[in-house]
């Protein structure tokens, strides 16, 4: 049996989203091996959204601006990775939980492989809050831990996805970065 927990404030959500805030916010972690595993709201019906080619291209362009400034090659928007990201965002939203661990997978690598993409490297950024795509990309680009994933030199492909949580307001985001074999 699960026990209800108090839901985090908007400030806690923002700090939970950004790296380095955990020491000043309540401990929202719910266990497991994912230090980013946070129950943000009760589970319920999520609104799952497909990523358009335009949204995926815009995300790749924002990612490439950061990579270009670091002297790294660009990423290409990949529809398989966008689908994997959207499915994970939907899974998180339905559970009301921001986590790299999926309902049926331990992380982004197994999700990418199950979709038929054979990676040599995978990484994932996640977020939850009242964020537009432009805002979430800007936050990831400004956050050290998220930026580290963006700047993995081997990464060649990119996909982004979002879903709306049961509260009808909170957007759950996932971006997947990978390189094929």
């Amino acid at each position: 049996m699960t026990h209800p927990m108090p839901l985090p404030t908007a400030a806690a959500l923002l700090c939970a989203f950004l790296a380095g805030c955990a020491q000043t916010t309540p401990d929202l972690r719910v266990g497991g091996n994912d230090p980013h595993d946070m129950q943000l709201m009760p589970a319920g019906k999520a609104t799952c959204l497909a990523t358009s080619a335009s949204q995926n291209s815009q995300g790749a362009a924002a990612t490439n601006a950061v990579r270009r400034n670091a002297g790294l090659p660009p990423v290409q928007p990949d529809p398989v990775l966008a689908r994997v990201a959207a499915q994970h965002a939907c899974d998180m939203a339905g559970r009301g939980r921001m986590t790299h661990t999926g309902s049926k997978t331990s992380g982004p690598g197994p999700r990418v492989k199950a979709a038929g993409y054979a990676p040599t490297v995978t990484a994932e950024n996640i977020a939850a809050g009242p964020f537009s795509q432009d805002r979430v990309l800007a936050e990831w680009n400004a956050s050290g831990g998220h930026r580290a994933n963006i700047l993995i030199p081997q990464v060649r492909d990119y996909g982004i996805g979002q879903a709306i949580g049961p509260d009808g307001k909170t957007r759950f985001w996932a971006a997947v970065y990978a390189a094929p074999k």
Side-chain angles (χ1 to χ4, degrees):
M1 175 177 185
T2 59
H3 298 284
M5 62 179 290
L7 297 179
T9 64
L13 280 175
L14 183 58
C15 281
F17 166 73
L18 297 172
C21 290
Q23 295 158 342
T24 60
T25 61
D27 186 0
L28 304 174
R29 290 175 287 164
V30 294
N33 294 328
D34 181 2
H36 305 102
D37 191 343
M38 298 178 197
Q39 188 71 43
L40 303 178
M41 66 190 64
K45 182 161 174 40
T47 303
C48 300
L49 306 169
T51 303
S52 71
S54 175
Q55 289 169 321
N56 208 31
S57 292
Q58 290 169 356
T63 300
N64 286 334
V66 174
R67 290 178 65 83
R68 185 173 37 257
N69 287 339
L72 294 172
V75 295
Q76 300 300 314
D78 184 281
V80 171
L81 296 183
R83 188 175 71 248
V84 169
Q87 288 169 346
H88 185 58
C90 182
D91 181 45
M92 289 190 298
R95 292 184 292 152
R97 178 176 285 176
M98 185 177 72
T99 179
H100 292 288
T101 304
S103 292
K104 299 175 183 167
T105 61
S106 60
R111 289 190 287 275
V112 167
K113 289 176 186 172
Y117 185 105
T120 58
V121 64
T122 60
E124 178 179 73
N125 285 344
I126 57 174
F131 308 120
S132 67
Q133 180 168 315
D134 288 342
R135 169 87 187 272
V136 79
L137 291 166
E139 296 291 348
W140 283 335
N141 290 343
S143 164
H146 297 102
R147 190 178 175 94
N149 283 340
I150 293 165
L151 296 177
I152 295 171
Q154 298 87 348
V155 167
R156 295 291 177 264
D157 296 323
Y158 168 89
I160 191 166
Q162 67 174 309
I164 302 170
D167 65 357
K169 299 180 226 173
T170 304
R171 289 190 182 260
F172 287 76
W173 290 93
V176 179
Y177 309 87
K181 287 186 179 177

